[in-house]
Amino acid sequence: MLLKRNPGRIFAENVTYKLKEVMATRPKAVLVFSGKRKSGKDFITERLMERFGAEICGIIRLSGPLKQQYALEKSLDFARLLDSTSYKEQFRADMIRWGEDKRNQDPGFFCQVATSGDEAKKSVWIISDARRKTDIEYFKSNFPDITKTIRVVTSDSTRQSRGFVFTPGVDDAESECGLDNVDFDMEIINNGDDAVLEKSLQDIEHLLVSVKILQGER
């Protein structure tokens, strides 16, 4: 009789194999972004990828592997957990608790999984959703000379205009508050002022030029 293998174990084995492949070619820069819900992290990181080019820049979402593994174990629709609909919101609190249990077992687990895919083969890693000190510690310890941390700061009124509603158990959890008192290398104000945002994007571009990833100014 054939034994049915645990999907979680198969997932972990595949990650270990892919991680060895990726680590053979290290990135030249790691940009670690953090921000509250509805701060516009995805919008900004997508703008950066468009600016720098998908051939050298990859967006890596730490929440992606968390949601994938959670969907596997809970028999949920992984694709719908990635979107911004109410489907994801009904599982958010339980997914946060589940993720904390995983991190308690291995603080770097989701960072390792997230950086085992094809996007991690690019020269510039954009980590779009760091939420905990252990996330930042993982990249700073493994890539100490090339990691820059960036905080996206948005006013409460702007977040509310984008649909933010305070949710107990979510917005007061570590996943939202764990990096509130961390000193970041850079800060981006994202309250809808395109000129202010453009200046911040230029600062990041100049950083990559200075480490010779981008050639000259655009």
Side-chain angles (χ1 to χ4, degrees):
M1 181 180 70
L2 292 177
L3 295 176
K4 185 176 180 181
R5 297 186 67 194
N6 185 295
R9 181 178 295 276
I10 296 172
F11 180 76
E13 290 173 353
N14 289 337
V15 165
T16 300
Y17 174 77
K18 291 179 180 178
L19 187 61
K20 289 178 180 178
E21 279 189 327
V22 169
M23 291 302 285
T25 57
R26 292 165 63 86
K28 294 181 179 178
V30 179
L31 306 178
V32 182
F33 283 80
S34 168
K36 298 285 192 179
R37 285 202 300 136
K38 300 298 182 180
S39 63
K41 299 186 297 296
D42 288 341
F43 172 74
I44 289 173
T45 53
E46 291 286 352
R47 284 274 297 268
L48 280 174
M49 189 177 73
E50 292 172 2
R51 192 183 191 100
F52 301 152
E55 67 279 2
I56 69 165
C57 182
I59 294 179
I60 297 174
R61 294 180 172 86
L62 302 184
S63 62
L66 184 154
K67 292 172 182 176
Q68 184 176 11
Q69 183 72 356
Y70 180 78
L72 275 173
E73 293 193 11
K74 303 290 185 178
S75 299
L76 300 175
D77 187 332
F78 171 55
R80 294 188 67 190
L81 287 178
L82 292 176
D83 62 29
S84 58
T85 64
S86 59
Y87 181 85
K88 175 179 67 178
E89 296 305 322
Q90 64 183 302
F91 299 108
R92 183 185 287 274
D94 183 62
M95 187 161 51
I96 289 172
R97 289 190 293 270
W98 176 88
E100 293 302 332
D101 289 341
K102 290 289 185 184
R103 286 186 181 87
N104 289 335
Q105 298 171 32
D106 179 1
F109 175 76
F110 292 114
C111 294
Q112 293 173 15
V113 175
T115 54
S116 66
D118 289 339
E119 291 301 291
K121 297 177 183 177
K122 308 283 181 68
S123 296
V124 179
W125 292 3
I126 296 179
I127 312 300
S128 66
D129 57 351
R131 296 180 180 276
R132 296 163 181 80
K133 291 179 180 178
T134 52
D135 295 339
I136 289 179
E137 289 166 1
Y138 175 85
F139 292 104
K140 285 201 166 186
S141 62
N142 285 282
F143 311 97
D145 299 327
I146 59 174
T147 295
K148 295 294 182 182
T149 57
I150 304 167
R151 181 72 163 181
V152 179
V153 178
T154 308
S155 68
D156 287 343
S157 60
T158 300
R159 293 169 65 208
Q160 289 164 2
S161 72
R162 296 171 181 165
F164 171 75
V165 176
F166 182 86
T167 304
V170 173
D171 294 296
D172 51 4
E174 185 185 5
S175 59
E176 285 296 314
C177 305
L179 297 178
D180 285 357
N181 299 314
V182 169
D183 290 327
F184 289 83
D185 296 316
M186 300 179 67
E187 185 175 278
I188 292 179
I189 306 300
N190 185 34
N191 287 322
D193 188 323
D194 286 341
V196 172
L197 178 57
E198 175 61 22
K199 174 62 169 57
S200 296
L201 297 181
Q202 287 178 0
D203 289 343
I204 296 174
E205 185 171 352
H206 294 161
L207 170 67
L208 297 187
V209 169
S210 71
V211 294
K212 300 181 180 179
I213 293 174
L214 297 179
Q215 301 299 315
E217 307 222 9
R218 300 185 180 196

